[in-house]
Amino acid sequence: MSTSQTIFKHIGIVGAGSTGAALAQMAAVAGADVLVYDINDTVLRRAFERIKTDLRRQVQQNVLTADQMSAILGRLRSRTSVADLSPCDLVIEAVVEDLRVKRDLMKHLDANTKPAAVLATASSALSVSAVGSFARFPERIIGMHFFHPIQSSPVVEVARGSRTNDQTVLAATDLVTMLGKRSILVNDSPGFVVNRVSYPYAGESLQIAGERIATPEQIDRIMKVVGGYEAGPFETIDQEGIDTHLAAARGLSDQFFGDSRYRPHPLLQQMVDAGKLGKKSGSGFVTSEANTSPK
Amino acid sequence: MKSKKPEKKPEKQSPKVPGAPRIIIVGEQSMVDEFATVCLKHGYSFQLAYNAPPETRPSFPTFSLKTGTAALRTASVAVELTNTDRVLKQQNLERISKDLAPTAAILSTSVTVSATEQTRWIHGKHRLVGIGYLPGLADAGLLEVAPTVFTPPATLEVVSRFVASIGKAAEIVQDGVGLVFPRVACQMINEAAFAIAEEVAEPKAIDEALMLALRHPRGPVAWAERFGLRQVIAVLEALQREYGGDRYRIAPLLRQMAYAGEWWK
């Protein structure tokens, strides 16, 4: 593939939740005119408030000037109809992780945007090819997996679907560069690279804890001291949310048709059933209460 | 024709520290040398025995397990570091246990054979504990230590004191093949090998992705290079043997690369 320098004048963001708001802010900061679409007015309003609050904080910290903030906000506009996204050169959808919802949305975007526009899904787990399966122009559909915290994470997985063409891949990597991040090119596969290859970090650790070879606290300590990892596997699960981790593990397992390498450990379900969801509930594998870890 | 005089080998300086207990370190050369370097740094005197004739001239004094009974009799700790050859590991432990003092401790890697299983091979089962060790982990500030059902508190005390004296914390875990770090790390390497074989991404991209997205200190490809593929396969084979099923099925690419003698370049 040759290199290109696509210019994105208009970028569309669909879904104004926390991921959508962060993407919109980054694109506006990078100089694009951004149209943010959500079916829910309240969600849209909240997203803009969140962006304003964050930009104001940056002004207070002298990261931005007040003029720069005004210019960025001037480049952001809210929209409540998909048809309004027609001028966009690239649209990223960041709606709920539900294949049916994303597939329907992609169909609408496909019908309401110019054929040359790139359509990206920000899904962290769903197949790019499946999301774009009903599109008239599936060659322009691509996956862009952003990592949390979205604004400061230095990398984006750019996932090529089975029908994505080279031009779309180049455009997506150009956007990643424009956002000041690095692209990792991957082929469409369950969990892409990061979620799949890192899966044993938590999955095998859960297996070891389940066999009572070591406690979650010990496993975290061993992985940090011997391996040099910044956070232990159980700290990571607690931070992510045990229910969220279980849902992601289930998704990966389903996509691999139940392959035992990806089977979620029953400990996850036990913790969820007990209402121990990690940091957000104040109790998890290594969070807070002394009696939360399996002994 | 003049016969060439054999070159006189310079006497190797045994790194002796008066009064320090003697350590015997036996096994695969790369791990033995690494472990010896750590012991030297902490003032121990030691003698080494390699599983195979060394490829390079050893930097430390060596002895043969077959004849070196004196070295064994005076040692207070023996360390056995063989992961890839079960038969050789058994022979080493049999020889060590025969001549080692009853009060001495044996620290033996238990990432491919459980410590409990190893006690079947030796005299004085009470002396042996398992440790989690792979090549490249010499500088880690922690050593996984796995006592067996035969390990009395006295042995554990000797082991803990020794581990602390070489600058590491002893983390006491239950005995089980692979222990913790080697098991988790080798499974990540295996998963990366499957992903590479399926052309999900290039090896370099996999490491970069994990390091940048999750702030891992190094990726699975780099871990595999550090440990060596034979070690990784030995751990995974042991897990497969122990647990059965598909969970520890080894990626065919991993074996192919091991046969080829190198990790993906």
Side-chain angles (χ1 to χ4, degrees), chain B residues 50-93:
Chain B
Y50 299 135
N51 286 346
E55 285 170 11
T56 52
R57 198 178 152 77
S59 324
F60 304 120
T62 58
F63 74 105
S64 161
L65 263 186
K66 286 178 189 164
T67 54
T69 54
L72 286 165
R73 284 202 186 99
T74 54
S76 55
V77 170
V79 182
E80 206 292 328
L81 302 169
T82 304
N83 292 335
T84 60
D85 190 328
R86 189 186 164 92
V87 174
L88 213 47
K89 186 171 186 76
Q90 179 171 352
Q91 286 170 2
N92 287 349
L93 284 169

Side-chain angles (χ1 to χ4, degrees), chain A residues 103-114:
Chain A
R103 206 181 251 167
D104 283 351
L105 172 67
M106 231 11 132
K107 216 164 115 184
H108 283 296
L109 288 171
D110 189 44
N112 285 285
T113 49
K114 51 190 181 191

Side-chain angles (χ1 to χ4, degrees), chain B residues 182-231:
Chain B
R183 181 169 164 181
V184 175
C186 289
Q187 275 287 74
M188 286 174 70
I189 294 166
N190 200 30
E191 197 56 46
F194 274 113
I196 292 166
E198 292 162 24
E199 296 185 347
V200 180
E202 296 287 325
K204 197 178 158 209
I206 291 178
D207 275 8
E208 275 177 4
L210 266 70
M211 289 165 71
L212 293 172
L214 304 180
R215 302 213 278 190
H216 282 192
R218 58 172 54 78
V221 175
W223 278 125
E225 280 172 358
R226 180 173 267 221
F227 303 151
L229 283 182
R230 286 187 65 210
Q231 297 279 334

